């Protein structure tokens, strides 16, 4: 499985990390990839730390376990840096993507000895500006696609529009906001 990309998501219950993980699996599947997208369940409740995983490959995925050495880590809530070792096992050739208003250089000292790429995006500001509330999962999903390259960006945007049209069929006003949040996030992610 040399062409497999593994992603670990860290968030808090209610922030949409699990939903973003599953949306990424759907988008990758639509582009012809083999995918896995699954959360790790424990005593989750609103605000408690959660973990979710994506495995995306050109070949059938035969491994069915948690991901211990991810290529990418997505951190939906910056406060988790204080309590969770988010870089544990992270491939130094990959990247970590963090929801924060800080720059990659400002965040790096908070990441133990991780020497790989550090990417940041202010998903909160983007979602509050465009959607009117703090829904960080849509901007973080876009940042994960941009940084990892697991799905071609134009194809991703097209597939997400179709997914949102299905998901929000009774709330069409939500579709354009989410699409704008996706495209803005892909442009604003900072790589350091």
């Amino acid at each position: 499985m040399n062409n497999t990309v593994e992603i670990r998501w860290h968030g808090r219950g209610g922030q949409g990390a699990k939903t973003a993980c599953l949306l990424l699996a759907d988008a990758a599947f639509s582009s012809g990839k083999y995918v896995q997208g699954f959360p790790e369940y424990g005593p989750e409740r609103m605000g408690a730390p959660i973990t979710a995983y994506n495995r995306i490959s050109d070949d059938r995925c035969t491994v069915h376990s948690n991901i211990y050495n991810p290529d990418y880590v997505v951190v939906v809530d910056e406060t988790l840096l204080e309590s969770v070792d988010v870089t544990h096992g992270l491939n130094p050739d990959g990247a970590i993507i963090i929801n924060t208003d800080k720059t990659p250089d400002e965040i790096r000292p908070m990441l133990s000895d991780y020497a790989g790429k550090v990417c940041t995006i202010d998903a909160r500001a983007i979602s509050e500006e465009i959607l009117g509330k703090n829904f960080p999962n849509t901007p973080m999903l876009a940042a994960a696609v941009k940084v990892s390259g697991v799905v071609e960006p134009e194809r991703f945007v097209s597939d997400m529009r179709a997914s949102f049209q299905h998901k929000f069929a009774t709330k069409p006003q939500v579709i354009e906001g989410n699409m704008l949040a996706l495209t803005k996030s892909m442009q604003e992610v900072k790589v350091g």
Side-chain angles (χ1 to χ4, degrees):
M1 291 197 344
N2 293 345
N3 61 353
T4 299
V5 174
E6 295 181 321
I7 301 172
R8 186 174 64 217
W9 296 77
H10 292 279
R12 293 191 183 277
Q15 293 179 324
K18 176 183 132 184
T19 300
C21 168
L22 297 177
L23 285 170
L24 179 56
D26 286 346
F29 180 77
S30 293
S31 70
K33 305 278 186 183
Y34 288 92
V35 301
Q36 294 176 0
F38 54 97
E40 179 178 15
Y41 284 108
E44 276 80 19
R45 60 196 177 282
M46 188 70 78
I50 66 107
T51 309
Y53 305 93
N54 285 113
R55 198 171 271 123
I56 300 168
S57 178
D58 291 330
D59 302 315
R60 183 174 296 279
C61 300
T62 57
V63 176
H64 299 284
S65 66
N66 289 349
I67 293 171
Y68 302 103
N69 299 105
D71 300 295
Y72 300 94
V73 167
V74 182
V75 182
V76 181
D77 188 322
E78 176 185 4
T79 65
L80 291 170
L81 299 179
E82 300 164 6
S83 59
V84 176
D85 183 5
V86 296
T87 61
H88 181 75
L90 178 56
N91 183 339
D93 293 330
I96 186 166
I97 308 153
I98 303 168
N99 175 12
T100 181
D101 61 356
K102 296 176 178 70
T103 66
D105 288 338
E106 291 172 319
I107 284 290
R108 189 173 291 282
M110 302 172 72
L111 301 176
S112 304
D113 297 332
Y114 181 66
K117 255 195 293 190
V118 176
C119 306
T120 61
I121 182 164
D122 194 346
R124 178 186 188 112
I126 292 169
S127 65
E128 286 179 348
E129 172 193 335
I130 296 171
L131 303 172
K133 289 187 178 180
N134 184 16
F135 295 122
N137 61 335
T138 298
M140 294 307 292
L141 170 61
V145 168
K146 174 73 175 190
V147 172
S148 69
V150 294
V151 179
E152 191 271 324
E154 288 79 25
R155 174 75 189 258
F156 168 71
V157 170
S158 172
D159 288 345
M160 290 311 301
R161 178 173 293 283
S163 176
F164 288 151
Q165 286 171 336
H166 175 74
K167 182 176 181 178
F168 301 119
T170 61
K171 300 177 189 175
Q173 70 278 10
V174 175
I175 298 168
E176 287 311 312
N178 275 283
M179 293 307 300
L180 185 56
L182 281 175
T183 55
K184 184 172 181 147
S185 299
M186 291 178 90
Q187 296 165 354
E188 291 194 10
V189 65
K190 297 175 189 84
V191 180

